[in-house]
Protein backbone atom coordinates (compact mmCIF):
# COMPACT_ATOMS: atom_id res chain seq x y z
CA UNK A 1 0.00 0.00 0.00
CA UNK A 2 1.33 3.44 -0.90
CA UNK A 3 2.24 5.79 1.93
CA UNK A 4 0.00 8.78 2.71
CA UNK A 5 2.51 11.32 1.26
CA UNK A 6 2.82 9.22 -1.92
CA UNK A 7 -0.96 9.01 -2.33
CA UNK A 8 -1.32 12.78 -1.70
CA UNK A 9 1.31 13.45 -4.34
CA UNK A 10 -0.50 11.21 -6.83
CA UNK A 11 -3.84 12.97 -6.18
CA UNK A 12 -2.24 16.39 -6.56
CA UNK A 13 -0.60 15.33 -9.82
CA UNK A 14 -3.91 13.98 -11.14
CA UNK A 15 -5.69 17.24 -10.25
CA UNK A 16 -2.98 19.23 -12.00
CA UNK A 17 -3.29 17.13 -15.17
CA UNK A 18 -7.11 17.31 -15.18
CA UNK A 19 -7.19 21.04 -14.52
CA UNK A 20 -4.55 21.61 -17.17
CA UNK A 21 -6.66 19.72 -19.70
CA UNK A 22 -9.73 21.77 -18.73
CA UNK A 23 -7.87 25.04 -19.19
CA UNK A 24 -6.51 23.85 -22.51
CA UNK A 25 -10.05 22.92 -23.63
CA UNK A 26 -11.46 26.29 -22.50
CA UNK A 27 -8.75 28.15 -24.37
CA UNK A 28 -9.03 26.09 -27.55
CA UNK A 29 -9.42 28.35 -30.57
CA UNK A 30 -12.84 28.49 -32.20
CA UNK A 31 -12.66 26.68 -35.50
CA UNK A 32 -13.34 28.58 -38.70
CA UNK A 33 -15.51 26.75 -41.23
CA UNK A 34 -15.67 27.21 -45.00
CA UNK A 35 -18.78 28.27 -46.93
CA UNK A 36 -19.84 30.64 -49.71
CA UNK A 37 -21.77 33.90 -49.60
CA UNK A 38 -23.98 35.87 -51.95
CA UNK A 39 -26.17 38.91 -51.27
CA UNK A 40 -29.76 40.06 -51.69
CA UNK A 41 -32.15 42.78 -50.61
CA UNK A 42 -30.68 45.90 -52.23
CA UNK A 43 -28.23 48.52 -51.03
CA UNK A 44 -30.53 49.52 -48.14
CA UNK A 45 -31.46 45.90 -47.31
CA UNK A 46 -35.16 46.75 -47.73
CA UNK A 47 -35.66 43.50 -49.63
CA UNK A 48 -34.65 41.45 -46.59
CA UNK A 49 -37.71 42.40 -44.53
CA UNK A 50 -39.89 39.57 -43.27
CA UNK A 51 -38.20 36.23 -43.78
CA UNK A 52 -38.63 32.69 -42.58
CA UNK A 53 -37.89 33.47 -38.92
CA UNK A 54 -40.91 35.79 -38.70
CA UNK A 55 -39.12 38.83 -37.31
CA UNK A 56 -41.04 41.15 -39.64
CA UNK A 57 -39.46 44.58 -40.10
CA UNK A 58 -35.80 43.92 -39.36
CA UNK A 59 -35.10 47.61 -38.79
CA UNK A 60 -37.66 48.01 -35.99
CA UNK A 61 -36.88 44.52 -34.63
CA UNK A 62 -33.29 45.65 -33.99
CA UNK A 63 -31.48 43.55 -36.60
CA UNK A 64 -30.82 46.30 -39.14
CA UNK A 65 -28.76 45.42 -42.20
CA UNK A 66 -26.42 42.86 -40.60
CA UNK A 67 -28.49 39.81 -41.43
CA UNK A 68 -28.40 36.72 -43.65
CA UNK A 69 -30.55 33.92 -45.02
CA UNK A 70 -28.98 30.53 -44.34
CA UNK A 71 -28.97 27.46 -46.56
CA UNK A 72 -31.02 24.52 -45.27
CA UNK A 73 -28.06 22.72 -43.71
CA UNK A 74 -27.27 25.80 -41.58
CA UNK A 75 -30.88 26.92 -41.02
CA UNK A 76 -31.64 23.63 -39.24
CA UNK A 77 -35.43 23.87 -39.68
CA UNK A 78 -35.42 27.31 -38.05
CA UNK A 79 -33.52 26.34 -34.90
CA UNK A 80 -30.71 28.69 -36.02
CA UNK A 81 -32.97 31.76 -36.16
CA UNK A 82 -31.39 34.53 -34.10
CA UNK A 83 -27.92 32.98 -34.00
CA UNK A 84 -24.92 35.12 -34.93
CA UNK A 85 -22.02 34.34 -37.23
CA UNK A 86 -18.75 36.14 -37.88
CA UNK A 87 -17.88 35.99 -41.58
CA UNK A 88 -14.73 36.87 -43.54
CA UNK A 89 -13.73 36.48 -47.16
CA UNK A 90 -11.63 33.34 -47.63
CA UNK A 91 -8.32 34.78 -48.87
CA UNK A 92 -6.98 31.36 -49.83
CA UNK A 93 -9.84 30.52 -52.19
CA UNK A 94 -11.31 33.87 -53.25
CA UNK A 95 -10.40 35.83 -56.36
CA UNK A 96 -8.38 38.71 -54.86
CA UNK A 97 -10.23 41.13 -57.14
CA UNK A 98 -13.45 40.45 -55.23
CA UNK A 99 -12.21 39.87 -51.69
CA UNK A 100 -11.67 42.43 -48.92
CA UNK A 101 -9.03 40.70 -46.78
CA UNK A 102 -8.64 41.27 -43.07
CA UNK A 103 -12.24 42.40 -42.57
CA UNK A 104 -15.02 40.55 -40.75
CA UNK A 105 -18.73 41.21 -40.37
CA UNK A 106 -21.11 39.68 -37.84
CA UNK A 107 -24.63 38.83 -38.99
CA UNK A 108 -27.79 37.46 -37.41
CA UNK A 109 -29.67 34.59 -39.05
CA UNK A 110 -33.14 35.90 -39.96
CA UNK A 111 -34.18 33.96 -43.07
CA UNK A 112 -33.92 30.73 -45.06
CA UNK A 113 -32.15 30.56 -48.41
CA UNK A 114 -34.18 27.77 -50.04
CA UNK A 115 -32.66 25.20 -52.38
CA UNK A 116 -33.15 25.52 -56.13
CA UNK A 117 -32.80 22.00 -57.45
CA UNK A 118 -33.39 23.19 -61.01
CA UNK A 119 -29.87 24.65 -60.98
CA UNK A 120 -26.52 22.95 -60.30
CA UNK A 121 -25.03 23.31 -56.83
CA UNK A 122 -22.05 25.20 -58.22
CA UNK A 123 -23.93 27.34 -60.73
CA UNK A 124 -26.95 29.10 -59.25
CA UNK A 125 -28.11 26.45 -56.80
CA UNK A 126 -25.95 27.99 -54.12
CA UNK A 127 -28.26 26.98 -51.26
CA UNK A 128 -28.83 23.40 -52.40
CA UNK A 129 -28.01 20.56 -50.03
CA UNK A 130 -25.41 19.92 -48.71
CA UNK A 131 -23.91 23.38 -49.29
CA UNK A 132 -23.20 25.71 -46.37
CA UNK A 133 -24.17 29.11 -47.71
CA UNK A 134 -24.98 32.62 -46.46
CA UNK A 135 -27.20 34.83 -48.61
CA UNK A 136 -26.32 38.05 -46.82
CA UNK A 137 -27.99 41.43 -46.77
CA UNK A 138 -26.11 43.46 -49.37
CA UNK A 139 -24.65 46.07 -46.93
CA UNK A 140 -23.22 43.27 -44.78
CA UNK A 141 -21.83 41.37 -47.78
CA UNK A 142 -20.12 44.46 -49.15
CA UNK A 143 -18.12 44.72 -45.93
CA UNK A 144 -16.16 41.65 -47.01
CA UNK A 145 -16.68 41.39 -50.78
CA UNK A 146 -16.73 43.52 -53.92
CA UNK A 147 -20.17 43.95 -55.50
CA UNK A 148 -19.12 42.75 -58.94
CA UNK A 149 -17.98 39.40 -57.52
CA UNK A 150 -21.54 38.26 -56.78
CA UNK A 151 -20.43 35.18 -54.86
CA UNK A 152 -17.29 34.63 -52.81
CA UNK A 153 -15.88 31.80 -50.68
CA UNK A 154 -15.94 32.73 -47.00
CA UNK A 155 -14.78 31.57 -43.60
CA UNK A 156 -17.28 31.69 -40.72
CA UNK A 157 -17.67 30.87 -37.06
CA UNK A 158 -20.58 30.96 -34.64
CA UNK A 159 -20.19 33.83 -32.15
CA UNK A 160 -22.21 35.24 -29.23
CA UNK A 161 -24.82 37.81 -30.23
CA UNK A 162 -24.51 41.37 -28.94
CA UNK A 163 -27.84 43.22 -28.87
CA UNK A 164 -29.05 46.61 -27.72
CA UNK A 165 -31.81 46.61 -25.13
CA UNK A 166 -33.72 43.64 -23.78
CA UNK A 167 -35.44 40.62 -25.26
CA UNK A 168 -38.69 41.42 -27.09
CA UNK A 169 -41.91 39.44 -27.41
CA UNK A 170 -44.50 39.85 -30.16
CA UNK A 171 -47.84 38.10 -29.60
CA UNK A 172 -50.11 37.13 -32.48
CA UNK A 173 -52.83 34.51 -32.89
CA UNK A 174 -56.25 34.33 -31.20
CA UNK A 175 -57.97 32.91 -28.12
CA UNK A 176 -56.52 29.50 -27.22
CA UNK A 177 -53.67 29.98 -29.70
CA UNK A 178 -51.02 32.42 -28.51
CA UNK A 179 -48.04 32.60 -30.86
CA UNK A 180 -45.07 34.47 -29.42
CA UNK A 181 -42.11 35.58 -31.54
CA UNK A 182 -39.00 35.98 -29.37
CA UNK A 183 -36.57 38.50 -30.84
CA UNK A 184 -33.47 40.55 -30.02
CA UNK A 185 -31.88 37.70 -28.05
CA UNK A 186 -28.23 38.18 -27.08
CA UNK A 187 -25.57 35.56 -26.24
CA UNK A 188 -26.65 32.25 -27.85
CA UNK A 189 -29.28 34.10 -29.87
CA UNK A 190 -31.56 31.07 -30.06
CA UNK A 191 -34.03 29.59 -27.58
CA UNK A 192 -34.22 25.94 -26.46
CA UNK A 193 -37.37 26.10 -24.32
CA UNK A 194 -40.03 28.59 -23.25
CA UNK A 195 -42.66 28.62 -20.49
CA UNK A 196 -45.51 31.02 -19.75
CA UNK A 197 -47.28 31.97 -16.52
CA UNK A 198 -50.34 34.18 -16.23
CA UNK A 199 -51.51 36.36 -13.35
CA UNK A 200 -54.27 33.87 -12.41
CA UNK A 201 -51.89 30.99 -11.61
CA UNK A 202 -48.53 30.43 -9.88
CA UNK A 203 -47.69 27.56 -12.23
CA UNK A 204 -45.48 27.68 -15.32
CA UNK A 205 -46.90 26.11 -18.47
CA UNK A 206 -44.53 24.82 -21.16
CA UNK A 207 -44.88 26.34 -24.62
CA UNK A 208 -44.18 24.42 -27.83
CA UNK A 209 -41.90 25.55 -30.63
CA UNK A 210 -44.13 26.35 -33.59
CA UNK A 211 -41.21 27.20 -35.86
CA UNK A 212 -37.91 29.01 -35.49
CA UNK A 213 -38.16 31.61 -32.71
CA UNK A 214 -41.97 31.30 -32.54
CA UNK A 215 -43.52 29.49 -29.59
CA UNK A 216 -47.19 28.77 -28.95
CA UNK A 217 -49.54 28.04 -26.07
CA UNK A 218 -53.06 26.60 -26.42
CA UNK A 219 -54.29 28.05 -23.11
CA UNK A 220 -56.72 30.95 -22.80
CA UNK A 221 -54.33 33.79 -21.95
CA UNK A 222 -55.97 36.69 -23.79
CA UNK A 223 -55.56 39.98 -21.95
CA UNK A 224 -53.95 38.45 -18.86
CA UNK A 225 -50.66 39.65 -17.38
CA UNK A 226 -47.98 37.27 -18.64
CA UNK A 227 -44.52 36.20 -17.54
CA UNK A 228 -42.11 34.18 -19.68
CA UNK A 229 -39.25 31.87 -18.73
CA UNK A 230 -36.69 31.29 -21.47
CA UNK A 231 -33.76 28.89 -21.67
CA UNK A 232 -31.35 29.54 -24.49
CA UNK A 233 -29.46 26.91 -26.45
CA UNK A 234 -26.41 27.42 -24.21
CA UNK A 235 -28.50 26.47 -21.15
CA UNK A 236 -28.91 29.94 -19.61
CA UNK A 237 -32.36 30.64 -18.12
CA UNK A 238 -33.89 34.10 -17.69
CA UNK A 239 -37.31 34.86 -16.17
CA UNK A 240 -39.24 37.83 -17.52
CA UNK A 241 -41.76 38.58 -14.80
CA UNK A 242 -44.93 40.45 -15.83
CA UNK A 243 -43.30 41.48 -19.12
CA UNK A 244 -46.74 41.57 -20.79
CA UNK A 245 -49.21 43.75 -18.89
CA UNK A 246 -52.88 42.91 -18.49
CA UNK A 247 -55.17 44.12 -21.25
CA UNK A 248 -52.75 43.37 -24.10
CA UNK A 249 -53.97 42.84 -27.68
CA UNK A 250 -52.82 40.44 -30.38
CA UNK A 251 -50.25 42.05 -32.65
CA UNK A 252 -48.50 44.00 -29.89
CA UNK A 253 -44.77 43.78 -29.14
CA UNK A 254 -43.42 44.07 -25.61
CA UNK A 255 -39.80 44.95 -24.82
CA UNK A 256 -38.21 43.76 -21.61
CA UNK A 257 -35.26 45.32 -19.81
CA UNK A 258 -33.62 41.91 -19.29
CA UNK A 259 -31.11 40.24 -21.56
CA UNK A 260 -29.01 37.08 -21.83
CA UNK A 261 -25.30 37.54 -21.09
Amino acid sequence: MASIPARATAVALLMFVCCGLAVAADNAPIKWMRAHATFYGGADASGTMGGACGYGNLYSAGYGTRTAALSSVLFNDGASCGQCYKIACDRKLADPAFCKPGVTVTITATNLCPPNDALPNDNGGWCNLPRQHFDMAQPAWEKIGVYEGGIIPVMYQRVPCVKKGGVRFKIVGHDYFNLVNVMNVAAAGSIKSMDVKNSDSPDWMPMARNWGPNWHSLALLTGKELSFRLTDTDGQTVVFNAVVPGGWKFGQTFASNLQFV
Side-chain angles (χ1 to χ4, degrees):
M1 180 180 294
S3 65
I4 292 177
R7 280 182 290 170
T9 301
V11 170
L13 180 59
L14 180 60
M15 291 179 63
F16 174 80
V17 171
C18 291
C19 293
L21 288 174
V23 170
D26 290 342
N27 293 333
I30 299 175
K31 185 177 180 181
W32 286 87
M33 307 291 289
R34 282 198 159 96
H36 283 79
T38 49
F39 60 86
Y40 77 116
D44 61 355
S46 59
T48 65
M49 297 302 106
C53 294
Y55 292 130
N57 187 313
L58 298 179
Y59 299 147
S60 59
Y63 297 107
T65 63
R66 300 293 187 265
T67 64
L70 308 187
S71 62
S72 298
V73 69
L74 291 172
F75 192 67
N76 193 22
D77 291 328
S80 297
C81 286
Q83 294 180 358
C84 296
Y85 299 83
K86 181 184 290 187
I87 304 176
C89 187
D90 188 342
R91 291 181 290 180
K92 291 184 178 179
L93 299 181
D95 184 331
F98 302 127
C99 183
K100 296 180 180 178
V103 182
T104 64
V105 63
T106 298
I107 57 88
T108 302
T110 58
N111 202 358
L112 167 68
C113 180
N116 183 354
D117 294 327
L119 296 174
N121 286 17
D122 59 353
N123 189 16
W126 309 125
C127 291
N128 292 351
L129 290 171
R131 291 179 63 93
Q132 298 187 73
H133 191 91
F134 296 88
D135 197 16
M136 301 168 63
Q138 183 177 329
W141 191 91
E142 288 193 278
K143 291 289 183 182
I144 60 172
V146 177
Y147 179 90
E148 289 75 13
I151 178 171
I152 54 173
V154 296
M155 303 290 290
Y156 76 92
Q157 59 179 216
R158 175 95 180 274
V159 294
C161 297
V162 178
K163 302 298 180 186
K164 293 181 180 180
V167 176
R168 303 175 191 174
F169 305 88
K170 182 177 182 179
I171 308 179
V172 298
H174 50 78
D175 291 346
Y176 293 102
F177 182 74
N178 312 277
L179 185 66
V180 183
N181 182 283
V182 184
M183 63 186 78
N184 202 52
V185 178
S190 50
I191 300 302
K192 181 173 68 175
S193 66
M194 181 172 180
D195 305 301
V196 61
K197 181 171 67 174
N198 70 74
S199 51
D200 295 340
S201 172
D203 299 324
W204 289 101
M205 295 180 290
M207 300 181 73
R209 186 193 298 276
N210 195 279
W211 92 91
N214 300 276
W215 298 76
H216 74 261
S217 168
L218 302 181
L220 180 60
L221 302 175
T222 308
K224 298 179 181 180
E225 180 185 272
L226 302 179
S227 300
F228 295 119
R229 181 171 64 189
L230 303 181
T231 299
D232 70 9
T233 49
D234 284 346
Q236 183 183 174
T237 299
V238 178
V239 175
F240 301 82
N241 284 314
V243 67
V244 178
W248 59 268
K249 307 292 183 183
F250 289 106
Q252 287 184 285
T253 298
F254 302 92
S256 74
N257 54 13
L258 296 178
Q259 188 54 272
F260 290 86
V261 296

